[in-house]
Amino acid sequence: MEKIKIVLDTDMGSDCDDAGALAVLHNLAKIGEAEVLAAVHCCSEISGAYAVKSINQWYGGQDIPVGRYDKKKFLEGGKYSKYTKPIMEKYLQTHAELKFESATRVLRKALSENDDVTIVVIGMQNNIAELLKSEADDISMYSGLELVEKSVKKMYVMGGNFADLTCAEYNIKCDIESARFVSENFPRPIVYCGFETGCNIVTGKQLKDADENHPVRLAYYLHGKHLDKNQMLRFSWDPITVYCAVRQNNPFYKESKKLKIGFNKNGCVRLGEGGKDCYIIQNAKDAEITNEIDRFLK
Ligand SMILES: [Ca+2]
């Protein structure tokens, strides 16, 4: 079986399903279906990068490079740190403080050292916009755009609402400018996993019985927006996106025809003919998908 080479870009902190998605990714990697080349965080809230690091470490991925967004202040503190800050504090009880490299450098390095890479974005697209705009440096003689052309096979993006074209989805709405820039300039195919894919799929049931120190369990517990206080359940936008990026041909979702997909100035999806992109469409019952995602969310 082909091992899918993944670079993950997450806004871990806004919602706990990013933590669930990282769990799914590591569990698919454990059975040989994926290799995690790098992970980057797209908010300036530093505890988010620590949470990514802690979860990687939990699954034995302590050497996976983790990058952070280090440009302007973007989604920091308060609700963006509700579960990541306690996870960071727990990490720092037993480890030295970390110095994270910038997301742009981590992305450039991963692409300069690998080919056939699948990027998975489960947050905003500021890191990908910065990557595309990056110029040759000590890491590579190629620009970010050239690196993507050379080394990226596809990108999966959790973003957009394809069921209601009058409604802007959260990841897009938080940074419409970057989403528009990426949709217009990314040179490789983009597969969008829209809001409608995740909001009937409620997962996380295995976390209730997990080790109390499990950082993903902590994320779901502390996020506190699970649907039942005693059950660590949450909608599954990000876990589904990771699952579809690793298992690109799965029976649970099918792809739309190829389209030109963009966003208007309010962040709503705009569909046009003759593009290279597509969005996924549910192709199985909610209960079947829930069971499948829950197998890996542990
Ligand atoms: Ca997310």
Side-chain angles (χ1 to χ4, degrees), residues 9-19 21 42 83 121-124 158 169-171 237-239:
D9 186 354
T10 165
D11 65 329
M12 190 166 297
S14 309
D15 198 312
C16 61
D17 74 325
D18 292 76
C42 70
Y83 72 84
V121 180
I122 53 173
M124 300 77 207
M158 193 282 124
E169 179 276 327
Y170 174 79
N171 283 351
W237 303 283
D238 295 350

Side-chain angles (χ1 to χ4, degrees), residues 73-135:
K73 189 171 154 69
F74 180 62
L75 310 183
E76 200 175 89
K79 65 177 180 177
Y80 304 108
S81 62
K82 190 173 171 190
Y83 72 84
T84 52
K85 199 155 174 264
I87 291 176
M88 173 178 79
E89 284 162 358
K90 201 171 167 59
Y91 178 92
L92 290 173
Q93 283 169 9
T94 48
H95 297 80
E97 219 172 281
L98 294 170
K99 265 195 120 41
F100 292 96
E101 258 204 302
S102 84
T104 308
R105 284 184 68 82
V106 170
L107 289 169
R108 287 181 56 81
K109 195 150 192 271
L111 298 189
S112 68
E113 292 171 353
N114 295 278
D115 51 18
D116 287 335
V117 175
T118 297
I119 298 179
V120 187
V121 180
I122 53 173
M124 300 77 207
Q125 295 180 52
N126 47 319
N127 280 337
I128 303 302
E130 295 284 348
L131 167 68
L132 291 173
K133 292 173 187 168
S134 67
E135 291 174 359

Side-chain angles (χ1 to χ4, degrees), residues 63 117 123 165 169 180 186 196 215 225 237-238 267 286 290 293-294:
D63 296 330
V117 175
L165 301 184
E169 179 276 327
R180 279 166 65 103
F186 199 77
E196 69 283 356
K225 283 189 184 168
W237 303 283
D238 295 350
D286 290 351
T290 303
I293 298 296
D294 265 333

